[in-house]
Amino acid sequence: MPQAPADDLFANDPAAPQALPLGAQAVLLRGFALAQADALVQCVQHIATHAPWRHMQTPGGQTMSVAMTGCGPLSWISDRRGYRYAAHDPLTGQPWPAMPQAFLQLAQAAAQQAGFAGFQPDACLINRYAPGARMSLHQDRDERDMDAPIVSVSLGLPAMFLWGGATRAERPLRVPLQHGDVVVWGGVDRLRFHGVLPLAPGAHPTTGDCRINLTFRKAR
Ligand code: MD3
Ligand code: FE
């Protein structure tokens, strides 16, 4: 048997930690959530029984292709009146479901790993991409505390992420995101433009025919 070179020893080990810098204060933690992924998806399904998936309207009157729900004290909503964080789900009139311990622990562990100790998210927006769903280039600037990072967890089908610059004009890099990947970005990278290309169809053992993305934020 030919011997694998020493630097390839972990090439096929899904548990091998890999931190890929995307910017001065943005890092992709490949597979960071893999061990918890099934449990996270079960939590998402439970959350969606209380706060159903919905396609929000933009202030311009477009219907978003991504279905959303959320949990935590706050979650992000959009309608014809604008974007904002809200304590209640406008569909049910109820408070958002509580943030599961497993969500909070993972978000805090990832933030710490990326150099943002003490991250206390108060909002988790949950995005569901069916084939063809996309997110056009935007900045996340509805949070009051721009010093806190955002932690993103990718589950299920892979997606091509667009990692842009400080202005819309900068041509974005393409970053493939896979099941279990976690991205943390803050500081000087906090206001970068970003988006997601239309999801390709496929089948994933954990999520079936979709991609789910969790984003943890400090909104207030
Ligand atoms: C990866 N969501 O909800 S995750 C959003 O995949 C949002 O659903 C996207 O943008 C999603 O506001 C993106 C967050 C993210 C942001 C910047 C990145 C992931 C990144 C930069 C490089 C790689
Ligand atoms: Fe975003």
Side-chain angles (χ1 to χ4, degrees):
M1 279 285 280
Q3 203 64 37
D7 61 351
D8 280 350
L9 278 178
F10 297 100
N12 300 314
D13 180 354
Q18 268 200 81
L20 306 174
L22 297 170
Q25 290 182 279
V27 65
L28 166 53
L29 304 171
R30 272 254 143 86
F32 191 86
L34 261 187
Q36 288 83 34
D38 285 7
L40 298 176
V41 171
Q42 283 188 16
C43 287
V44 169
Q45 282 159 352
H46 175 79
I47 288 164
T49 67
H50 295 274
W53 296 109
R54 82 288 312 263
H55 294 269
M56 295 184 194
Q57 299 278 117
T58 67
Q62 305 268 84
T63 301
M64 298 182 75
S65 61
V66 174
M68 295 176 170
T69 183
C71 66
L74 298 168
S75 194
W76 184 88
I77 59 173
S78 176
D79 59 25
R80 291 304 301 256
R81 289 154 51 208
Y83 315 124
R84 62 208 171 273
Y85 282 91
H88 291 78
D89 176 351
L91 258 192
T92 64
Q94 295 299 120
W96 296 102
M99 200 182 295
Q101 267 302 318
F103 279 29
L104 189 60
Q105 276 173 12
L106 177 71
Q108 292 182 324
Q112 169 134 348
Q113 183 80 223
F116 296 95
F119 181 45
Q120 291 287 355
D122 57 12
C124 175
L125 176 64
I126 307 174
N127 296 330
R128 186 186 67 187
Y129 295 75
R134 59 191 284 272
M135 196 171 284
S136 54
L137 273 188
H138 67 279
Q139 295 171 298
D140 291 8
R141 52 186 318 152
D142 300 329
E143 300 74 26
R144 203 166 293 166
D145 181 359
M146 283 292 156
D147 292 335
I150 295 184
V151 172
S152 138
V153 180
S154 290
L155 300 164
L157 292 178
M160 193 59 82
F161 201 83
L162 299 173
W163 171 238
T167 68
R168 196 179 285 282
E170 278 176 67
R171 163 109 91 98
L173 288 183
R174 292 175 175 213
V175 181
L177 291 183
Q178 294 159 14
H179 180 65
D181 286 352
V182 175
V183 185
V184 182
W185 76 107
V188 295
D189 293 313
R190 177 65 179 71
L191 285 175
R192 281 193 188 242
F193 280 87
H194 58 277
V196 179
L197 289 184
L199 195 82
H204 190 279
T206 305
T207 61
D209 59 0
C210 69
R211 168 177 187 260
I212 293 171
N213 182 265
L214 316 177
T215 47
F216 296 91
R217 301 131 185 276
K218 177 117 184 80
R220 286 192 184 150

